[in-house]
Amino acid sequence: MTDLQTTSRFSSGPWRRLRSLRVRLIAVFAAVALLAAVSASGIAYWLNRDAVLKRAQNTALNDFRVSLTRNVSELPLNATCAELNQLAASVASSGLSYEVVVSDPARPDCLASSAPLTYTLADVPAKLRDTVAKPRELTENNPYAFHLYWQRQNLEGRPFVIGGTKVVPTGPTAYMFKSLENERADLSTLGWSLAIATLLALIGSALLAQAASATVLRPVKRLGEAARRLGEGHLDTRLEVEGSDELADLARTFNRTAESLHEQVEELSAREAQSRRFVADMSHELRTPLTAMTAVTDILEDEAESLDPMIEPAVRLVVNETRRLSDLVENLMEVTRFDAGTAKLVADEVDIADLIMSCIDGRAWYDAVELDAPRGVRAVVDPRRLDVVFANLIGNALKHGGSPVRVTVREEGPAQAPADGPADGPADGREDDGPVVGPAVGTVIVEVSDSGPGIPEDVLPHVFDRFYKADKGRARSEGSGLGLSIAMANAQIHGGTITAANGEVGAVFTLTLPRTQPPPSADDSEESAL
């Protein structure tokens, strides 16, 4: 149950819109554009970051080397602390906005710095100090024991490049502090620019996907609407073919399919109309001779007892078969009226219990039928057609199920709304057109159950089919196979239906009828009057 509910929830409402082809196309375009833009922006950012930082640090380190080389020549041996401070200030005054710290192992208590309140030897990373103080082996490729080393370091959350080198092998060591704040600001601006470019690319891809999906889905939408109209019975539906792409081929295929379907349906309709006309014409042609035959067989039946005993069985067989043929012709004519749509209702408000009692009494079934029908259950129906329904259901139950047959009548829903006006007819003397009925409320349910073995499960779906017989081995039987189908058609013309099922004992046929009928059209009223 949970899986079904989940499937239903995800196949309707906003989830269904999210699963549409348009949304999926936009999502794919957006995902590809986002991936491409993020990749390009990331690569561009890291390349620019590396170039900016390298340029800033190389410029500062080169200037630091040149300035230190120029000013160290003026530093005397065993320089004082003041001279070391002077050296730091002179080196830092080159104009590239970096600060210098000078340390001398001979004067460990001396703090020589161009900005003593901000930068001291303690701010230099220990690893950088050890590397600067360690001499390298002299070779042909390395004529100097000491070199300029650098390291990027954050001091109090601010980025710096720190460089250091020995002034002379036995002299002081100088360190440079170059702030990278400006470079970080530039990189931040670059990052925001790339982010905005990525967003614009994403929006552009979504708009492009919208335009592309509209181009692709517009023909698909027209195809869906055409298929829907074709399914509704508009067989002349065709698509306009534009271009020579795959969608145009699909439209041509649809048009060819619709044309073929139209031709086949017209051919089948023509054949069906011919069959209906043949059945109707045949039935009409048979009525006249059957009328004469019936009159003769009635006379023969009255004189059957006075005939030779050898002839009497043949006479009774002729009588029975003639009546069976007459019933079959009447049923065929009724079927043709339903198929042609000419079957009409002559509705009147009747008591359902009285109508059932009349059906049972007229066919002498009162000893084999148990009736549970309270009086006062009234409905607006065609008494003749409803009598046919009851006769078919009860007769079928007696023939195939066995007695006793139980007929139960009940009503569901509120009682029928009372009619306005006097019950005896119009007071002004005009002809009464029929009962004045209130709004259609409630239904009448009639159940017919027998005491037989029931209906096989494989037969239940076909009991209302025309000419269907449960026992295929008995091609000839007393019934024509049309009774239940005519009963269903009469129930449907009343706006009701009949269902068949198996009860605890025997089969149960349930007739459901509305208590009132929709008002007839003007054409129907004129035809009924005629």
Side-chain angles (χ1 to χ4, degrees):
M1 188 66 177
T2 304
D3 293 340
L4 292 176
Q5 291 175 348
T6 303
T7 302
S8 177
R9 183 172 67 251
F10 281 91
S11 61
S12 61
W15 292 107
R16 183 177 182 181
R17 290 193 292 270
L18 289 177
R19 293 171 56 190
S20 68
L21 184 58
R22 184 187 301 274
V23 173
R24 282 184 284 174
L25 281 174
I26 295 175
V28 170
F29 269 76
V32 172
L34 181 62
L35 180 61
V38 169
S39 300
S41 299
I43 294 172
Y45 178 81
W46 286 109
L47 290 176
N48 280 276
R49 178 180 180 275
D50 189 61
V52 168
L53 293 179
K54 280 186 176 181
R55 183 173 65 248
Q57 75 185 21
N58 290 341
T59 301
L61 290 173
N62 290 334
D63 185 82
F64 172 65
R65 180 187 294 109
V66 172
S67 181
L68 181 62
T69 302
R70 184 176 62 248
N71 288 283
V72 77
S73 60
E74 300 176 1
L75 184 68
L77 296 174
N78 300 321
T80 63
C81 187
E83 291 171 336
L84 293 176
N85 277 292
Q86 180 62 35
L87 175 63
S90 298
V91 173
S93 62
S94 65
L96 290 183
S97 302
Y98 55 79
E99 304 296 336
V100 177
V101 173
V102 179
S103 67
D104 189 352
R107 297 182 182 279
D109 56 344
C110 177
L111 178 61
S113 173
S114 61
L117 298 179
T118 307
Y119 305 101
T120 64
L121 186 61
D123 295 323
V124 180
K127 185 176 181 180
L128 179 61
R129 289 201 304 266
D130 295 340
T131 304
V132 170
K134 183 179 180 180
R136 297 176 62 180
E137 182 180 358
L138 298 176
T139 63
E140 292 181 0
N141 297 324
N142 181 38
Y144 303 105
F146 297 96
H147 293 264
L148 176 60
Y149 299 94
W150 59 271
Q151 180 180 341
R152 290 176 192 164
Q153 182 76 19
N154 284 334
L155 299 178
E156 298 180 355
R158 298 168 57 198
F160 283 86
V161 57
I162 303 174
T165 183
K166 275 277 192 178
V167 177
V168 292
T170 59
T173 303
Y175 295 97
M176 175 204 70
F177 291 82
K178 169 62 178 173
S179 174
L180 298 177
E181 280 287 335
N182 293 334
E183 286 72 15
R184 183 167 71 174
D186 292 342
L187 291 174
S188 178
T189 302
L190 175 63
W192 278 108
S193 300
L194 292 175
I196 294 174
T198 301
L199 180 61
L200 292 177
L202 184 61
I203 295 175
S205 67
L207 295 177
L208 180 62
Q210 174 71 15
S213 63
T215 303
V216 174
L217 294 180
R218 191 177 298 115
V220 176
K221 183 178 180 181
R222 288 200 296 266
L223 177 61
E225 292 175 351
R228 191 177 302 111
R229 286 180 54 81
L230 193 65
E232 293 172 352
H234 302 282
L235 300 181
D236 58 343
T237 302
R238 299 294 184 271
L239 286 173
E240 182 179 355
V241 180
E242 299 177 354
S244 58
D245 55 5
E246 291 81 358
L247 292 174
D249 292 340
L250 181 61
R252 293 189 187 94
T253 302
F254 175 86
N255 289 341
R256 287 195 295 269
T257 304
E259 184 66 27
S260 176
L261 179 63
H262 193 183
E263 293 175 357
Q264 293 179 15
V265 170
E266 285 186 342
E267 182 180 356
L268 292 174
S269 299
R271 291 181 181 178
E272 184 179 2
Q274 291 176 357
S275 299
R276 289 177 179 174
R277 283 196 299 271
F278 172 76
V279 173
D281 294 343
M282 181 186 66
S283 300
H284 281 287
E285 292 298 327
L286 287 175
R287 292 191 73 180
T288 301
L290 276 176
T291 302
M293 291 172 62
T294 302
V296 172
T297 55
D298 288 342
I299 296 174
L300 288 175
E301 186 179 23
D302 293 338
E303 300 294 333
E305 295 181 356
S306 61
L307 295 175
D308 189 294
M310 299 295 293
I311 302 177
E312 181 183 357
V315 171
R316 294 193 181 278
L317 178 62
V318 170
V319 170
N320 292 335
E321 292 301 320
T322 302
R323 288 176 178 173
R324 182 172 179 272
L325 181 59
S326 178
D327 292 341
L328 177 60
V329 170
E330 290 297 329
N331 287 338
L332 287 175
M333 293 189 65
E334 185 73 2
V335 167
T336 57
R337 281 192 287 269
F338 280 117
D339 289 342
T342 59
K344 303 298 179 182
L345 280 179
V346 181
D348 192 10
E349 185 179 14
V350 297
D351 191 301
I352 299 299
D354 291 342
L355 195 58
I356 297 175
M357 284 297 301
S358 174
C359 174
I360 295 173
D361 292 342
R363 293 165 178 84
W365 289 340
Y366 37 80
D367 291 335
V369 178
E370 298 177 358
L371 179 62
D372 180 11
R375 295 189 179 276
V377 179
R378 305 180 67 82
V380 178
V381 295
D382 185 333
R384 183 187 67 83
R385 293 189 178 277
L386 207 57
D387 180 76
V388 172
V389 175
F390 292 146
N392 273 291
L393 294 181
I394 299 174
N396 195 67
L398 290 171
K399 185 184 303 181
H400 300 289
S403 59
V405 172
R406 290 169 295 278
V407 180
T408 305
V409 179
R410 69 177 188 274
E411 55 185 335
E412 289 187 355
Q416 180 176 310
D420 296 331
D424 295 332
D428 56 3
R430 291 182 288 107
E431 182 180 356
D432 192 0
D433 293 331
V436 181
V437 182
V441 288
T443 56
V444 176
I445 297 176
V446 180
E447 290 185 355
V448 179
S449 58
D450 57 50
S451 302
I455 303 173
E457 293 297 330
D458 59 330
V459 175
L460 275 176
H462 307 286
V463 292
F464 297 105
D465 295 347
R466 294 177 183 177
F467 298 106
Y468 183 83
K469 297 182 181 181
D471 189 356
K472 299 298 182 181
R474 297 175 61 191
R476 177 175 177 82
S477 64
E478 295 182 5
S480 63
L482 290 173
L484 288 178
S485 64
I486 292 176
M488 173 64 82
N490 278 311
Q492 291 174 344
I493 201 173
H494 282 85
T497 186
I498 305 175
T499 59
N502 287 316
E504 296 181 359
V505 177
V508 179
F509 286 82
T510 304
L511 168 66
T512 304
L513 294 173
R515 298 178 65 93
T516 62
Q517 300 298 318
S521 62
D523 295 339
D524 294 343
S525 299
E526 292 175 2
E527 185 175 346
S528 299
L530 292 175

